[in-house]
Amino acid sequence: MSAPRPLIAHRRFGIRRPARHHGRMQQTLSAAALEFLAERHLATLTTLRADGSPHVVPVGFTWDADRGVARVITFAGAAKAANAAGGGRAAVCQVDGARWLTFEGAVTVRRDADGVAAAVAAYAARYRPPKVRDDRVVVEIDVDRVLCNRGLRA
């Protein structure tokens, strides 16, 4: 499997190649994009099944701007967690009318208690506290590409 491609610097999307500082991506997003991310919207998460076909489901997600990571909380037995555990790439796309923003990147699953607790807290702050589950995991996308509509471009 080849390494993930770097963030594409499209003039038409106004996306800039991120700088990496101490292993963390500093993603450049416009003020309009950040405002859109702060609004309470659902999104779609696309992961890849073992046969390479897309698995697309509605989700709530959070954006960690400091680390350049999008997170989705789920349970260990979910198809999205199984697909993400296989590695590869994933995308999360938030849509509201003509406004849309997609984060793409390498995907992993976190199971550590601290990471899960932090992701649950971030989800609760954006949406509402989720049901308590002992088998909670976090699907993390290390974002290396951002796509959006014209109004959200940097």
Side-chain angles (χ1 to χ4, degrees), residues 25-26 30 33 35-36 42 45 67 73 78 93 99 109 129 138-139:
M25 183 176 76
Q26 302 298 313
S30 70
E35 286 178 29
F36 183 50
L42 292 178
L45 172 68
R67 293 196 52 224
I73 61 172
C93 180
R99 299 182 305 159
V109 177
V138 182
V139 173

Short mmCIF file of all heavy atoms in Angstrom, two decimals, residues 25-26 30 33 35-36 42 45 67 73 78 93 99 109 129 138-139:
data_model
loop_
_atom_site.label_atom_id
_atom_site.label_comp_id
_atom_site.label_asym_id
_atom_site.label_seq_id
_atom_site.Cartn_x
_atom_site.Cartn_y
_atom_site.Cartn_z
N MET A 25 -0.39 18.35 12.41
CA MET A 25 -0.72 19.11 11.22
C MET A 25 -1.39 20.41 11.61
O MET A 25 -2.28 20.42 12.45
CB MET A 25 -1.67 18.30 10.33
CG MET A 25 -2.00 18.99 9.05
SD MET A 25 -3.01 17.98 7.97
CE MET A 25 -4.59 18.14 8.76
N GLN A 26 -0.97 21.49 11.01
CA GLN A 26 -1.61 22.79 11.23
C GLN A 26 -2.44 23.08 9.98
O GLN A 26 -1.95 23.63 9.02
CB GLN A 26 -0.56 23.88 11.47
CG GLN A 26 0.34 23.61 12.65
CD GLN A 26 -0.43 23.54 13.95
OE1 GLN A 26 -1.26 24.38 14.23
NE2 GLN A 26 -0.18 22.51 14.72
N SER A 30 -10.64 28.41 6.48
CA SER A 30 -11.16 29.78 6.53
C SER A 30 -12.01 29.97 7.79
O SER A 30 -12.47 29.01 8.41
CB SER A 30 -12.02 30.05 5.30
OG SER A 30 -13.23 29.30 5.37
N ALA A 33 -15.28 28.31 7.26
CA ALA A 33 -15.23 26.85 7.43
C ALA A 33 -15.23 26.51 8.92
O ALA A 33 -15.92 25.58 9.35
CB ALA A 33 -14.00 26.27 6.75
N GLU A 35 -16.50 28.31 11.34
CA GLU A 35 -17.85 28.58 11.83
C GLU A 35 -18.80 27.44 11.47
O GLU A 35 -19.61 27.01 12.28
CB GLU A 35 -18.38 29.89 11.26
CG GLU A 35 -17.77 31.13 11.87
CD GLU A 35 -18.30 32.40 11.22
OE1 GLU A 35 -19.45 32.41 10.74
OE2 GLU A 35 -17.54 33.39 11.19
N PHE A 36 -18.69 26.95 10.23
CA PHE A 36 -19.52 25.84 9.77
C PHE A 36 -19.27 24.59 10.61
O PHE A 36 -20.21 23.89 11.00
CB PHE A 36 -19.22 25.58 8.29
CG PHE A 36 -20.05 24.50 7.65
CD1 PHE A 36 -21.43 24.48 7.75
CD2 PHE A 36 -19.45 23.51 6.90
CE1 PHE A 36 -22.20 23.50 7.14
CE2 PHE A 36 -20.20 22.53 6.28
CZ PHE A 36 -21.57 22.52 6.40
N LEU A 42 -25.00 16.86 11.28
CA LEU A 42 -24.52 15.50 11.08
C LEU A 42 -23.68 15.48 9.81
O LEU A 42 -23.66 16.45 9.05
CB LEU A 42 -25.68 14.51 10.99
CG LEU A 42 -26.46 14.32 12.28
CD1 LEU A 42 -27.62 13.35 12.05
CD2 LEU A 42 -25.56 13.82 13.40
N LEU A 45 -19.78 9.46 7.07
CA LEU A 45 -18.45 8.86 7.18
C LEU A 45 -18.35 7.80 6.11
O LEU A 45 -19.21 6.92 6.02
CB LEU A 45 -18.26 8.22 8.56
CG LEU A 45 -16.96 7.40 8.72
CD1 LEU A 45 -15.74 8.31 8.69
CD2 LEU A 45 -17.02 6.59 10.01
N ARG A 67 -4.56 19.05 16.14
CA ARG A 67 -3.93 17.82 15.64
C ARG A 67 -4.28 17.51 14.19
O ARG A 67 -3.71 16.61 13.60
CB ARG A 67 -4.31 16.63 16.52
CG ARG A 67 -3.71 16.76 17.92
CD ARG A 67 -3.73 15.48 18.70
NE ARG A 67 -3.13 14.39 17.97
CZ ARG A 67 -3.66 13.16 17.91
NH1 ARG A 67 -4.77 12.87 18.53
NH2 ARG A 67 -3.07 12.21 17.22
N ILE A 73 -17.10 8.79 17.25
CA ILE A 73 -17.21 7.76 18.28
C ILE A 73 -18.21 6.71 17.82
O ILE A 73 -19.19 7.02 17.13
CB ILE A 73 -17.60 8.34 19.66
CG1 ILE A 73 -18.95 9.03 19.62
CG2 ILE A 73 -16.50 9.26 20.19
CD1 ILE A 73 -19.48 9.44 20.99
N ALA A 78 -19.21 -2.13 15.38
CA ALA A 78 -19.78 -1.42 14.23
C ALA A 78 -18.97 -1.68 12.96
O ALA A 78 -17.74 -1.81 13.02
CB ALA A 78 -19.84 0.08 14.50
N CYS A 93 -17.88 13.96 5.65
CA CYS A 93 -18.38 15.10 4.90
C CYS A 93 -19.60 15.69 5.59
O CYS A 93 -20.61 15.00 5.78
CB CYS A 93 -18.75 14.66 3.48
SG CYS A 93 -19.40 16.00 2.46
N ARG A 99 -23.70 24.39 1.39
CA ARG A 99 -22.41 24.38 2.11
C ARG A 99 -22.01 22.94 2.39
O ARG A 99 -22.82 22.14 2.84
CB ARG A 99 -22.51 25.14 3.43
CG ARG A 99 -22.85 26.59 3.27
CD ARG A 99 -22.89 27.31 4.60
NE ARG A 99 -23.79 26.65 5.53
CZ ARG A 99 -23.74 26.79 6.87
NH1 ARG A 99 -22.84 27.56 7.42
NH2 ARG A 99 -24.61 26.18 7.64
N VAL A 109 -8.26 3.26 14.42
CA VAL A 109 -9.23 3.11 15.51
C VAL A 109 -8.48 3.19 16.82
O VAL A 109 -7.48 2.50 17.02
CB VAL A 109 -9.98 1.76 15.42
CG1 VAL A 109 -10.92 1.58 16.59
CG2 VAL A 109 -10.76 1.67 14.11
N PRO A 129 -24.48 14.34 25.20
CA PRO A 129 -23.78 13.19 25.76
C PRO A 129 -24.29 11.88 25.13
O PRO A 129 -25.50 11.67 25.06
CB PRO A 129 -24.11 13.25 27.25
CG PRO A 129 -24.45 14.68 27.50
CD PRO A 129 -25.11 15.18 26.24
N VAL A 138 -12.99 4.91 18.99
CA VAL A 138 -12.96 6.16 18.23
C VAL A 138 -12.32 5.92 16.87
O VAL A 138 -11.21 5.39 16.78
CB VAL A 138 -12.13 7.25 18.98
CG1 VAL A 138 -12.15 8.56 18.20
CG2 VAL A 138 -12.64 7.43 20.39
N VAL A 139 -13.04 6.29 15.83
CA VAL A 139 -12.49 6.27 14.48
C VAL A 139 -11.82 7.63 14.28
O VAL A 139 -12.47 8.67 14.43
CB VAL A 139 -13.60 6.05 13.43
CG1 VAL A 139 -13.05 6.20 12.02
CG2 VAL A 139 -14.25 4.68 13.62
#
